[in-house]
Amino acid sequence: MDIMKLNLWWLAIRPKTLPAAACPVVVGAACAMADHHFSFLMFICALAAALLIQISVNLANDYFDFKNNIDTEDRKGPVRVTQSGLIKPETVRNATLFTLGLCLLLGGFLVINGGPVILSIAVVSVICSLGYSGGPYPIASNGLGEVFVFIFFGPVAVCGTYYLMGHTLSRGCITASVPVGLLITAILVVNNLRDIETDERAGKHTLAVMIGAAKTKMEYIILVLISFLIPCLMFAAGPYNAWILMPLIVFYKIVPLFDTISRHKGEVLNLCLADTAKLALLFSLWFAAGIAVSGG
C-alpha cells in the first residue's frame, strides 16, 4: 500500500476523534489504580478495543452517511472519503466490518477475563456502533446521538475499564465517568451545531436540528461547565484530596471555546471541535492523574 492510500485511510479513521476513545479508558484505569486493581495488560487491551470501536464507528458513519445522502458537497466538516469518491463505498464498508472483526477478537480475550458483564458491553457496543449511523432507525439521525455518546464514552467505558480490572465497581468510578462522558458529548454537540443547516436539509434529525442553534450553544456551555464542577464536588464530598482538582489547570481553555461557540457557525466551528477534543483529552489526563494520586 503506497503512502497516498495510507494517507486516505488515515483521513478515513478521523484521527482527531481517537482521543475521545482513549479518555474514558485512561480515567477508568486511574480509578482502578487508586483502588489497587490496576492491570497494565488489561489497560492496553481495553485501550486497543476502544480505539477499534471508535474507528469502526467513524468508518460506518462515513459509509452510511454517503448511502443515505446525508454527506453532500455542501458539508462544512472535513472531507469524507466515501462522499468525495476517494475510497469506494464497498471498500469502506468492508473496512468497517474488518475493524469490527478485530475488535471482536480482542473482545474475546477481554470477555475471558471480565466475564458476562464485559461480554454484554462488547455485544451492545458492536451493535450500537453499526446502529449509530445505519439500520432502520439510525441513532445519530434521530436526536439520540448525545445520549449514546454520553452513555458509551462515560459510564460504560470508564466503569467497564474499572470492572475489567477489579471485577467490581466503586462510587468513585461511577462519579468519575460523568465529566468524561459530558466533555466527549460536547465534541458531538459542536459537530452537530456546525452541520445543523446541511443536516436539516438532508432530513437528519440531530438534537441540534430539533432544538435549534441557540439552545445547542447553551447545551455545549452547560456540558463543559458541569464537567469542571464535578472534580470540585468530589473534593468537597471526599475522600479525595486536593489532587482531584488538577483538571482545573486547563479551565482557562474554555474561554476561547465559549467565545467561538457563541459567535460563530459553519466551518469556523471545525477549529472549536478540534480544540474541544483537546480539552477533553487534557482534562481526562489531569483528572486521571489526580484520581491516581489522590486515591478513593
Side-chain angles (χ1 to χ4, degrees):
M1 185 178 292
D2 59 34
I3 298 298
M4 184 174 293
K5 288 183 178 179
L6 286 175
N7 286 337
L8 288 179
W9 283 111
W10 183 246
L11 180 65
I13 68 174
R14 307 181 197 175
K16 291 183 179 180
T17 68
L18 299 186
C23 291
V25 176
V26 170
V27 172
C31 292
M33 184 178 291
D35 293 340
H36 309 290
H37 297 312
F38 181 75
S39 165
F40 182 74
L41 177 60
M42 291 298 103
F43 169 68
I44 293 299
C45 291
L47 182 61
L51 291 173
L52 285 169
I53 280 287
Q54 181 64 50
I55 290 171
S56 67
V57 169
N58 290 343
L59 292 172
N61 179 255
D62 200 303
Y63 173 75
F64 285 115
D65 276 3
F66 168 74
K67 296 293 287 185
N68 295 329
N69 296 314
I70 292 172
D71 279 347
T72 67
E73 294 179 356
D74 295 330
R75 65 170 278 105
K76 296 179 173 64
V79 174
R80 292 290 177 257
V81 296
T82 312
Q83 179 271 327
S84 61
L86 294 172
I87 302 178
K88 294 180 180 179
E90 57 270 23
T91 305
V92 176
R93 178 200 61 203
N94 293 340
T96 303
L97 296 175
F98 175 74
T99 308
L100 284 173
L102 289 178
C103 191
L104 286 174
L105 286 175
L106 184 56
F109 173 74
L110 296 177
V111 167
I112 291 173
N113 288 273
V117 172
I118 300 301
L119 174 61
S120 300
I121 291 175
V123 171
V124 174
S125 295
V126 170
I127 292 173
C128 288
S129 69
L130 291 173
Y132 184 78
S133 299
Y137 193 81
I139 294 169
S141 298
N142 290 282
L144 298 175
E146 283 83 353
V147 175
F148 169 87
V149 168
F150 172 75
I151 292 173
F152 280 89
F153 286 86
V156 171
V158 175
C159 296
T161 301
Y162 184 96
Y163 186 90
L164 187 63
M165 299 180 187
H167 298 279
T168 186
L169 290 178
S170 70
R171 183 179 64 180
C173 171
I174 296 170
T175 304
S177 72
V178 176
V180 179
L182 292 177
L183 276 177
I184 296 173
T185 302
I187 300 172
L188 177 64
V189 172
V190 181
N191 181 84
N192 290 345
L193 177 62
R194 180 199 64 202
D195 295 341
I196 192 168
E197 294 177 358
T198 53
D199 283 344
E200 186 171 19
R201 286 199 298 269
K204 184 176 181 179
H205 302 296
T206 62
L207 183 59
V209 170
M210 292 179 176
I211 66 177
K215 291 182 180 178
T216 301
K217 293 176 180 182
M218 185 57 63
E219 176 194 7
Y220 175 86
I221 292 171
I222 291 172
L223 290 175
V224 174
L225 288 178
I226 293 177
S227 299
F228 279 92
L229 175 63
I230 289 174
C232 301
L233 296 177
M234 293 174 73
F235 171 65
Y240 296 95
N241 60 36
W243 288 108
I244 198 68
L245 300 176
M246 289 176 72
L248 297 182
I249 291 172
V250 296
F251 184 74
Y252 73 95
K253 289 182 175 293
I254 74 172
V255 176
L257 288 174
F258 285 1
D259 179 66
T260 301
I261 204 81
S262 299
R263 297 194 299 112
H264 297 284
K265 64 179 183 177
E267 294 181 23
V268 177
L269 295 179
N270 284 330
L271 181 59
C272 182
L273 191 152
D275 287 343
T276 303
K278 292 176 184 176
L279 176 68
L281 178 60
L282 290 172
F283 177 98
S284 297
L285 291 175
W286 283 115
F287 194 34
I291 290 170
V293 173
S294 181

